[in-house]
Amino acid sequence: MDRTFDPRPVLLSALDQLEKLAARLDPARLDRPTPCTEYDLRALLGHTLGAVHRIAYVGEGGRGMDLPAAAGAIEDADWGGAFGRSRDRLAAAWADAAKLDREVEVPWGRVPGRVALSGYVMEVVTHTWDIAQVIDPEGELDEELGHMALGIAQKVLPAAPRGGELPFGDVQPVPADADVHTRLAGWLGRKV
């Protein structure tokens, strides 16, 4: 990981994109399946929101495993607002640039803050694609965010071996002309 890379603006942009997407949610779709097969849409929204609160908590000085990557009850029509509030918490928690070089504890180990935040860029951008497949499958997602997340994924997650404690399936084939978000989904084991 580049020691000069500041993942905070990228993660905040990813959360802005997710907030806008979630604000367009038709609550009648909350029980639909997602490409992240272990979650329906409601559960995936909750998991992603919980992950954002977890990394905000880490920035506030907490340990990543102290909080579950799950949200409590959210009103069906308030998912956009919930993501906006989590974005604000994260921005405040990581406002001090010195935290980027401090070692923090996240579910995958003790790493510098910038590495932890980069992992959450990958998670938020990927789950935004998963969520978009249910909310607005024809909508466009930010390509630059997709390229950033794919680059991170390819640096930190080898193509093999997968499985076991690594929560990603085998790299899946994607069409040669696939957009960057579909390539990211395939890299992380989604069947596309």
Side-chain angles (χ1 to χ4, degrees), residues 140-156:
E140 290 188 25
L141 296 175
D142 185 304
E143 283 191 36
E144 185 176 337
L145 290 173
H147 283 290
M148 293 292 294
L150 180 58
I152 291 166
Q154 290 175 332
K155 283 181 187 172
V156 302

Side-chain angles (χ1 to χ4, degrees), residues 9-19 120-121 124-125 128 145:
V10 178
L11 184 52
L12 293 174
S13 291
L15 289 169
D16 287 341
Q17 176 175 250
L18 180 53
E19 177 184 359
Y120 281 88
V121 167
V124 169
V125 172
T128 298
L145 290 173

